[in-house]
Amino acid sequence: MECMISRTDDAEAELVVRAQAGDHRAFALLVGRYQDPVFRFVLRMSGIRDEAMDLTQDTFLKAYRALPAWRPEARFRTWLFQIAHNATLDVLRRRQRVEFVPYDEDAQDAAAPEARDPAPTPEQALADRQRIGMLERALRELPAEQREVLLLREVEDMSYAEIAATLGIGEGTVKSRLARARVAALAHYRGHAGENSDE
Amino acid sequence: MNEHRPDMIELSAYFDGELDPVRQQGVAAHLAACPACAAQLDLLRMLAADFERLPAATLGFDLAGVIEGRLAAAPRPQPRRDRSWRGLLPVSAGAAASVACGIAMGFALFGGAATPRIAAMSVFDTMPPGSLCIGLESCYTNGAKR
């Protein structure tokens, strides 16, 4: 497994080196590989689809401009998410809107069936839908610093070391912040579950 | 039951496989005997499973094509200038030569050669020009008595 990751990293590093040498096709391949992971991260952070699209494009353009600074010791994904994270925080700070603004819920619902089991029973589908809704709400209500650490771990499957490098914090901070974020998310779950059962 | 009950930070790191192997084993042993902690771990599992069910938002178009088009028109990023000592060598050598030149010129002007006496300073000498004492009258009267 480790060997496979290493081979993937090597192939990716080769693409980055080619892109550094001015090979636009190589950079386009990297964009194709990471456009959706970067987009879903910035979308969950910013909360606005149009803004997330702009941020995704900005992230890749900034990455291209910063390519000469990339060193093979850094994983390209971590480096890219670092750029995306900084760009997103800049936007949130500039617009003084650290609060999460819900994005188009209809669009989420439209995409939801792809993520579910191929043929869930109606009860299961309803329960899944309710739980996903609760998680969406919980995520919206979490502070940005807890939301980002949860997304990088649970959605992007990053190790603590990668999260630390992406966010520019220590691994110990990742460990404690992630635990707090999970507790907070679960508390929101319980809160919303209570609301739902009251309804 | 294992004495050391893991807190949420440790349990969360255990769930992610981020504890050191010894502690990972210790927490596993505790979980096997502690239903309360096992229930906490189940909650973490449930949360992770729900994250997997979140709709995977996609950009919906080929950004690579758009970026590639923009890059074709953009100038190629320039590599960083070499900041190592080798890169700074010509500048350092020039600066050192300038300083050395300045020192040599200063030495030629003020050092080595005899410092010229400034005549104006003799105005403040205790002895007036010509070694005539204009001090006490006794200087002269004593001599006259002899």
Side-chain angles (χ1 to χ4, degrees), chain A residues 92-105:
Chain A
L92 293 179
R93 282 194 203 110
R94 199 163 50 236
R95 298 184 189 178
Q96 294 185 325
R97 203 194 49 238
V98 177
E99 293 303 314
F100 194 101
V101 180
Y103 62 95
D104 188 0
E105 305 245 353

Side-chain angles (χ1 to χ4, degrees), chain B residues 29-42:
Chain B
H30 176 87
L31 286 167
C34 176
C37 288
Q40 288 287 314
L41 187 68
D42 283 345

Side-chain angles (χ1 to χ4, degrees), chain A residues 21 24-25 27-28 35-36 39 43 49 53 57 60-61 64 68 131-132 153-154 160 178-179 182-183 189, chain B residues 8-9 12-13 16 18 46 48 50-51 53-55 57-59 61 63-64 68 70-72 76-78:
Chain A
H24 293 165
R25 186 73 206 125
F27 190 70
Q35 68 169 49
D36 284 339
F39 174 69
L43 176 60
R49 197 175 172 85
M53 289 166 88
Q57 188 164 322
F60 285 104
L61 289 173
Y64 181 77
R131 288 162 72 96
I132 288 165
R153 175 64 209 164
E154 301 284 15
Y160 286 13
L178 185 55
R182 281 169 165 159
V183 169
Y189 253 56
Chain B
M8 194 56 182
I9 293 176
S12 164
D16 293 326
E18 293 270 358
M46 180 197 78
D50 285 351
F51 264 104
R53 288 197 199 97
L54 274 179
T58 56
L59 196 54
F61 64 93
L63 181 62
E68 204 176 356
R70 287 187 65 171
L71 294 184
R76 198 177 135 187
Q78 293 301 310

Side-chain angles (χ1 to χ4, degrees), chain A residues 12 38 42 48 59 61 67 84 105 122 135 160 171 181 184 190:
Chain A
E12 195 165 270
V38 168
V42 296
I48 299 173
T59 296
L61 289 173
L67 267 181
E105 305 245 353
L135 182 56
Y160 286 13
E171 282 187 48
R190 272 186 230 113

Side-chain angles (χ1 to χ4, degrees), chain B residues 86-126:
Chain B
R86 281 172 216 276
L88 294 173
L89 198 58
V91 180
S92 314
S98 300
V99 171
C101 243
I103 290 170
M105 284 170 73
F107 189 75
L109 282 173
F110 302 110
T115 309
R117 276 182 73 89
I118 300 170
M121 290 303 288
S122 61
V123 169
F124 304 104
D125 210 333
T126 50

